[in-house]
Amino acid sequence: MPGMEVCFGAEAAASVDLELSVIRMIFAHAVNHGDISVSPAAEMHRSRGLPRKTREALTEAQEAAVTASWETAPFGLFLLYIGMRCGEALAVSYDDIDRAAGVIHVIKKLSYTGHNYPFIQRYTKSINGIRDVPLLPPLAYALPVDRAGLLFPGKRGFMTGSEIESAWKRYCWAVGLNHVETSDQGERLETFPITPHCFHHSFATICYEAGLDPKQVAKILCNTPEVVEKVYTHLREGRQLMAAKKLVSYFSGVA
């Protein structure tokens, strides 16, 4: 079907691009092995106007709320100071914490079948995903000593998909990371714009503030230096804009 547009429900553009890439590779494999002569995916393209999700780092006020609530709601603090993806963080057990070496071993991640039932993968996003990440002092102080088992268990072991969704909403309520507004019709609308991946970006911000090289950060975050450099560039632009505003405010006050 020439010119066929691909749109899987109301998914974001990045998700559709990924799924379309997989479809193209499947049909390309079939062409290369002689199963079909022409790939039906060759002319497929993503529908226009699909939403694009942008994940930003937490604001300073949000980071302060996360760190202030570490005793009652520790999951956010863990994400903030470790830089792991959510599936990696939920797979961490106390045995993975090496206090003597000052690291946490990342050797597995939690994945799901049917979007709900958890299973462990003894590998991560890439071969570089198997790594040791620094156990930073704020997190080392907050994590209990002489414990066993998962850091963040569900009712029957690993958290199910529905347990994660419910737990994340409770966390956002507790810390104030939810967003509530009133519609023109007077209806209360609540959204949860902060996701665990936002903490991933926040950790990159912390690394930037600490002066780490993008290649060093890429290894910790299991990203490519190119991706980290984009984040760093965004941070630099944000800092420059903030500095410009401060200068304008200063001279406006003087005047």
Side-chain angles (χ1 to χ4, degrees):
M1 297 182 183
M4 181 185 212
E5 291 191 350
V6 181
C7 176
F8 299 91
E11 291 191 47
S15 298
V16 174
D17 286 340
L18 176 62
E19 290 159 349
L20 184 55
S21 175
V22 173
I23 290 172
R24 285 172 176 158
M25 286 190 288
I26 291 172
F27 283 115
H29 178 82
V31 171
N32 291 336
H33 285 74
D35 299 317
I36 57 176
S37 56
V38 178
S39 168
E43 298 299 325
M44 286 184 177
H45 61 272
R46 170 170 44 81
S47 298
R48 297 176 182 175
L50 292 179
R52 286 190 174 275
K53 293 182 180 178
T54 55
R55 298 184 176 96
E56 302 290 344
L58 275 66
T59 64
E60 291 183 3
Q62 289 169 337
E63 283 192 20
V66 168
T67 54
S69 60
W70 67 270
E71 289 185 285
T72 55
F75 186 56
L77 187 79
F78 186 81
L79 291 176
L80 181 62
Y81 286 121
I82 210 66
M84 291 183 188
R85 294 173 177 81
C86 188
E88 293 174 338
L90 291 174
V92 172
S93 67
Y94 284 96
D95 289 339
D96 298 321
I97 301 173
D98 188 342
R99 289 182 179 271
V103 298
I104 297 180
H105 305 301
V106 185
I107 56 174
K108 55 191 181 297
K109 68 174 182 178
L110 202 58
S111 295
Y112 293 86
T113 58
H115 302 291
N116 193 46
Y117 301 105
F119 67 95
I120 279 290
Q121 291 183 330
R122 297 287 173 180
Y123 55 89
T124 52
K125 186 177 180 180
S126 68
I127 188 62
N128 295 326
I130 299 175
R131 63 201 189 278
D132 288 342
V133 297
L135 178 60
L136 300 180
L139 189 58
Y141 176 78
L143 290 175
V145 180
D146 298 329
R147 293 275 186 94
L150 295 169
L151 265 67
F152 306 104
K155 292 181 179 179
R156 299 175 181 174
F158 295 111
M159 280 193 183
T160 63
S162 56
E163 282 179 324
I164 292 173
E165 183 177 357
S166 298
W168 187 251
K169 286 184 177 181
R170 290 195 302 270
Y171 178 77
C172 290
W173 288 328
V175 181
L177 298 182
N178 59 322
H179 178 73
V180 179
E181 61 183 25
T182 304
S183 69
D184 295 337
Q185 292 74 33
E187 297 178 334
R188 181 179 183 273
L189 303 175
E190 182 179 28
T191 57
F192 298 87
I194 301 300
T195 68
H197 201 77
C198 293
F199 290 73
H200 196 64
H201 285 260
S202 290
F203 184 82
T205 304
I206 292 171
C207 293
Y208 170 77
E209 299 284 1
L212 270 67
D213 182 88
K215 291 183 179 180
Q216 297 171 314
V217 183
K219 187 173 183 180
I220 296 173
L221 294 179
C222 184
N223 265 326
T224 63
E226 291 76 17
V227 170
V228 173
E229 186 60 50
K230 285 182 180 179
V231 175
Y232 271 31
T233 301
H234 173 74
L235 290 170
R236 291 188 190 104
E237 291 172 350
R239 294 296 185 274
Q240 289 170 354
L241 180 61
M242 188 182 300
K245 287 181 177 178
K246 286 182 178 180
L247 283 172
V248 172
S249 298
Y250 172 76
F251 284 105
S252 297
V254 170

